[in-house]
Amino acid sequence: MKTNQKTESQRLKALKSLNILDTLPEQDYDQITKLVSFICDTPIAMISLIDKDRQWFKSKVGADYCETDREYSFCNIAIQSDEEIMEVFDARDDFRFNGNPLVYGDKKVIFYAGVPLKDKNGFALGTLCVVDHQPRTLSEKQKESLMFLANQVTRLFELQSINDGLKETQKQLKEKNIQLKNFAGVVSHDMKMPLASMIVTVDVLKAKYKDILDNAGLEYLNNLKKSSFQLSDYISNILTHYESDSITNNEESLKEFDVHSLIEDIVEMLDIGNDCDLSFPEESIAIYTNRVALEQILLNLIGNSLKYNDKPKIEIDIDFKKEPDAYRFIVKDNGIGIAKDKQKEIFNLFSTVAGYDRKGNKGNGIGLSTVKKMIHNLGGKISVESTEGEGTTFEFTIEQIHN
């Protein structure tokens, strides 16, 4: 059966979509041809693909050529046949091969058996075939084995196509993510200055027109300033999230430092007041890791312990252990806690499981997602235990680096 021009065009398109022509040998395919040669007891076994003008071999045993002209190809006839397996007992006696140069010479093709390799749409892309230099036949078991293994070759084609698709999708997602990071960075930086101007302008208006503005006017300005600070905080968190990879991968941030000194710096940055009791680890141990990243992680966790706390006296207990291959930190508080059914969501980006913080502000759901991402990049894990109304304990590790 001969294919028409339209069908052949579709078949070639399907073959090209595999992206397999002229690729390097692969063990998965070579193992099949070796097995076929062994089972069928033939000196030659091949996985052929029929291109427009040539026959190319993805895998071969007993042959030293990579391709032949399609004009003389036995496989070209096999893919146009309606038979499950095309078997040629003696090509010298078969009219289809009269004058075919492959039938003559030292490495003549006398016996041939090939199974068309059909894709999910029924297009025969090539064959799994065996060749001998003398007349012969295959047993029923050999034919059955040849067809079974041809199915495995087709499965490999399908898996390769799926894998190529996944790689392309991954590439596109990576490119989109880079674009998103660049967009977030540009927009965030561009918004920072106008926000700062708004905050300063509010203070100027309050000072200059304090005798004119009534209480409602002052309240409007205070709300504007509060919203500006919230938006500024939101932008800062977005920037930190998208810059977290560069922060954790920055080798210049690898330093040796004292754990107590790091926590003291964080306490100073957070401006912790008298309404908070913060306990330091018992021992002050020198560690070697990414100081900037660890500082960002602890700033977020301790900051959350301060913000999401409804007790008159805030209690935060920080513990630290140096293990053989990791540093382990524990941040425990007596805050509002997290509902059991919400604890899996807290590390999702933009997930806000708490209501309002100590100052009546709503969280933005970025901080803990960034924390988890940075800890992961530092080779560690984070977990949470919490009871509503009693408090929360975050425990995380980061991989210990030996300088």
Side-chain angles (χ1 to χ4, degrees):
M1 179 189 72
K2 291 190 177 182
T3 57
N4 60 45
Q5 189 173 355
K6 181 179 179 182
T7 304
E8 175 62 6
S9 175
Q10 293 173 325
R11 189 195 70 81
L12 288 172
K13 184 177 180 181
L15 174 62
K16 299 292 185 184
S17 70
L18 284 180
N19 294 318
I20 196 172
L21 290 172
D22 301 310
T23 56
L24 294 172
E26 296 178 60
Q27 187 178 32
D28 289 340
Y29 294 100
D30 291 344
Q31 287 176 344
I32 290 177
T33 49
K34 287 178 183 177
L35 184 58
V36 166
S37 175
F38 175 76
I39 292 173
C40 296
D41 193 25
T42 57
I44 298 174
M46 297 179 288
I47 295 172
S48 73
L49 292 169
I50 306 301
D51 201 358
K52 183 179 179 180
D53 300 311
R54 61 172 178 154
Q55 172 181 242
W56 179 79
F57 303 109
K58 173 59 182 172
S59 177
K60 58 189 185 296
V61 171
D64 55 5
Y65 40 84
C66 296
E67 61 180 62
T68 61
D69 290 338
R70 180 175 178 177
E71 179 183 358
Y72 304 114
S73 166
F74 281 54
C75 297
N76 183 45
I77 297 174
I79 67 169
Q80 300 178 64
S81 171
D82 292 327
E83 300 173 280
E84 285 188 313
I85 177 170
M86 187 182 91
E87 189 173 17
V88 179
F89 309 114
D90 190 335
R92 295 168 297 185
D93 299 331
D94 194 312
F95 73 92
R96 292 173 296 182
F97 305 103
N98 287 341
N100 190 316
L102 297 177
V103 180
Y104 308 95
D106 295 336
K107 297 180 180 179
K108 54 185 176 290
V109 178
I110 301 299
F111 169 78
Y112 171 90
V115 178
L117 302 172
K118 296 183 178 181
D119 68 4
K120 60 183 179 181
N121 295 315
F123 292 117
L125 309 179
T127 71
L128 174 64
C129 64
V130 291
V131 171
D132 206 337
H133 305 303
Q134 57 189 1
R136 58 166 303 160
T137 60
L138 294 182
S139 68
E140 290 303 315
K141 287 186 176 180
Q142 287 174 325
K143 290 180 184 179
E144 189 176 35
S145 298
L146 187 60
M147 287 189 285
F148 284 162
L149 289 168
N151 287 336
Q152 295 306 309
V153 175
T154 304
R155 291 281 181 87
L156 284 176
F157 287 165
E158 291 174 356
L159 288 173
Q160 179 158 333
S161 180
I162 292 170
N163 189 45
D164 288 345
L166 290 173
K167 285 181 179 178
E168 181 60 28
T169 301
Q170 186 180 40
K171 179 184 176 182
Q172 291 176 3
L173 286 173
K174 189 175 181 180
E175 290 173 354
K176 293 291 184 184
N177 190 45
I178 291 172
Q179 291 173 7
L180 180 60
K181 286 171 69 175
N182 292 339
F183 174 78
V186 170
V187 171
S188 299
H189 282 298
D190 288 350
M191 290 177 69
K192 276 282 191 179
M193 187 59 69
L195 277 172
S197 297
M198 286 172 62
I199 293 168
V200 172
T201 301
V202 168
D203 288 335
V204 170
L205 288 172
K206 287 170 67 178
K208 189 172 182 178
Y209 299 103
K210 62 181 178 180
D211 296 329
I212 301 174
L213 291 168
D214 58 11
N215 290 334
L218 288 171
E219 185 65 23
Y220 288 140
L221 289 176
N222 287 333
N223 287 337
L224 178 60
K225 184 175 180 179
K226 180 181 178 181
S227 297
S228 298
F229 272 121
Q230 288 176 338
L231 184 54
S232 180
D233 182 59
Y234 188 79
I235 291 169
S236 296
N237 285 333
I238 288 177
L239 278 172
T240 302
H241 181 80
Y242 284 110
E243 291 174 355
S244 58
D245 288 338
S246 58
I247 291 172
T248 50
N249 294 328
N250 186 0
E251 293 187 2
E252 292 182 3
S253 297
L254 290 173
K255 299 182 184 299
E256 186 174 31
F257 56 91
D258 184 88
V259 173
H260 274 201
S261 66
L262 173 66
I263 299 174
E264 286 170 358
D265 289 345
I266 292 171
V267 169
E268 187 175 338
M269 281 186 276
L270 291 172
D271 193 22
I272 295 177
N274 294 327
D275 61 344
C276 175
D277 283 338
L278 191 145
S279 301
F280 281 53
E282 289 185 7
E283 292 185 81
S284 183
I285 300 174
I287 63 174
Y288 181 78
T289 189
N290 188 317
R291 193 186 196 282
V292 175
L294 181 57
E295 180 180 272
Q296 188 65 48
I297 292 166
L298 289 172
L299 263 172
N300 191 286
L301 294 178
I302 297 171
N304 281 349
S305 293
L306 292 168
K307 288 191 292 184
Y308 298 103
N309 200 302
D310 56 354
K311 308 300 188 299
K313 193 72 170 179
I314 300 172
E315 295 177 4
I316 303 174
D317 183 30
I318 302 173
D319 198 8
F320 166 78
K321 297 175 184 177
K322 187 175 182 180
E323 299 177 349
D325 298 312
Y327 301 126
R328 184 176 299 275
F329 290 85
I330 300 170
V331 179
K332 182 179 180 182
D333 64 49
N334 65 335
I336 62 175
I338 305 165
K340 193 76 174 176
D341 61 337
K342 300 291 185 181
Q343 290 176 19
K344 288 184 179 179
E345 301 176 24
I346 62 174
F347 297 110
N348 296 335
L349 187 60
F350 302 124
S351 174
T352 54
V353 298
Y356 295 89
D357 65 19
R358 196 176 181 86
K359 295 181 179 179
N361 297 322
K362 183 75 173 175
N364 50 47
I366 302 174
L368 287 177
S369 173
T370 305
V371 164
K372 183 178 180 180
K373 187 179 180 184
M374 296 180 83
I375 289 171
H376 174 77
N377 288 347
L378 293 175
K381 294 180 179 180
I382 184 169
S383 62
V384 60
E385 289 185 9
S386 186
T387 304
E388 279 190 283
E390 295 184 14
T392 301
T393 300
F394 285 99
E395 185 169 342
F396 70 91
T397 60
I398 58 175
E399 185 180 2
Q400 187 177 154
I401 302 171
H402 302 281
N403 61 338

